[in-house]
Amino acid sequence: MISKIESLESNKIDTPNTTFDFDKRIPPMDKSHNMEKDSLGFNADKRIDKGEIFENPFSLEECLRFFDEDIFSSLSIEEKAFVCDLLCDAMAEKLGIYDKPVVGFFEDQNRGNCGGYNAEANVIGINVYNIDDGDSIKDTIIHEMRHCWQHIRASLPLDYQNDEDLIFKQNFENYINPEDNYRAYLSQPVEMDARAFAEAFR
């Protein structure tokens, strides 16, 4: 959840592709804030955060609809950050991810740098310059959540890995960054799998 960013020891987390600068992050949303949308048929007052435990009351389909242009464009910055969290939670449930990543934001005027996943810190970083593009944000979260799942599969004991898990492991050990060879970056198994997975939700 976004609120967990406050507990990080460092304000910056480096990855091969991106530095997530949490001094530039979007502030956590006030959970009591009402963002009811009649078109979705839910009551925002039913979302209650009890202490450190927050149970996402929305289905994956409902979370995806938050990113439709007519809804996403009407949300405040804090609400957009919050629905990013909700989608991350829903995708974690779908993928069977128990240790859900933190969602953070960074600034990069290159909007082509949509985001990234830092496996060591378990953080998904999203470029705040794309915050008004619901489709891009949705696609980035789903893509990076798939990378999270890939890392989990790749780190399983060898006896529990299948052929695909081994391919992921070998790929991460020999990962090609886009700035080094963009075509080779795109053709990597982990990138092809993440793109295909996200494509299914467009």
Side-chain angles (χ1 to χ4, degrees):
M1 303 293 288
I2 293 172
S3 58
K4 293 180 183 176
I5 294 175
E6 304 295 343
S7 66
L8 295 175
E9 295 180 358
S10 171
N11 285 335
K12 291 187 177 181
I13 296 178
D14 296 321
T15 69
N17 302 321
T18 307
T19 297
F20 303 146
D21 187 345
F22 293 114
D23 287 332
K24 305 294 186 182
R25 64 183 178 270
I26 295 174
M29 177 181 170
D30 177 0
K31 298 294 176 59
S32 65
H33 188 77
N34 191 329
M35 45 180 282
E36 182 173 356
K37 298 292 174 184
D38 292 339
S39 61
L40 291 179
F42 68 82
N43 187 332
D45 293 335
K46 293 180 180 178
R47 283 201 318 282
I48 301 175
D49 192 352
K50 298 180 179 179
E52 295 298 320
I53 300 173
F54 176 73
E55 183 177 349
N56 186 353
F58 304 112
S59 68
L60 175 57
E61 290 73 20
E62 288 172 327
C63 290
L64 291 170
R65 288 187 61 193
F66 284 132
F67 294 84
D68 290 349
E69 183 178 358
D70 59 330
I71 297 175
F72 198 73
S73 62
S74 70
L75 302 180
S76 70
I77 293 294
E78 290 186 339
E79 289 170 337
K80 288 175 180 178
F82 188 58
V83 298
C84 287
D85 248 354
L86 292 177
L87 180 56
C88 183
D89 286 347
M91 290 306 305
E93 182 176 353
K94 178 174 180 61
L95 290 166
I97 298 172
Y98 177 74
D99 186 13
K100 294 175 288 189
V102 169
V103 178
F105 295 84
F106 64 94
E107 289 186 345
D108 187 343
Q109 293 185 10
N110 174 18
R111 297 184 62 174
N113 179 11
C114 299
Y117 174 64
N118 184 313
E120 182 177 351
N122 198 26
V123 171
I124 290 176
I126 298 173
N127 190 352
V128 74
Y129 276 86
N130 291 328
I131 197 62
D132 292 327
D133 188 341
D135 285 337
S136 175
I137 298 292
K138 177 183 71 174
D139 187 75
T140 298
I141 292 173
I142 297 172
H143 182 105
E144 302 307 334
M145 285 295 295
R146 185 65 169 186
H147 281 323
C148 175
W149 176 83
Q150 292 167 350
H151 276 281
I152 292 171
R153 298 298 308 179
S155 64
L156 291 173
L158 190 59
D159 290 344
Y160 292 91
Q161 289 186 338
N162 58 33
D163 291 343
E164 185 179 46
D165 301 334
L166 290 172
I167 291 173
F168 292 156
K169 183 177 187 298
Q170 292 168 0
N171 192 167
F172 285 130
E173 290 173 350
N174 301 277
Y175 190 79
I176 302 170
N177 292 317
E179 59 269 23
D180 295 330
N181 187 328
Y182 190 67
R183 181 172 295 181
Y185 156 79
L186 289 175
S187 64
Q188 293 176 108
V190 294
E191 294 300 335
M192 294 175 65
D193 175 76
R195 287 199 307 274
F197 182 75
E199 179 70 29
F201 295 92
R202 291 178 183 167

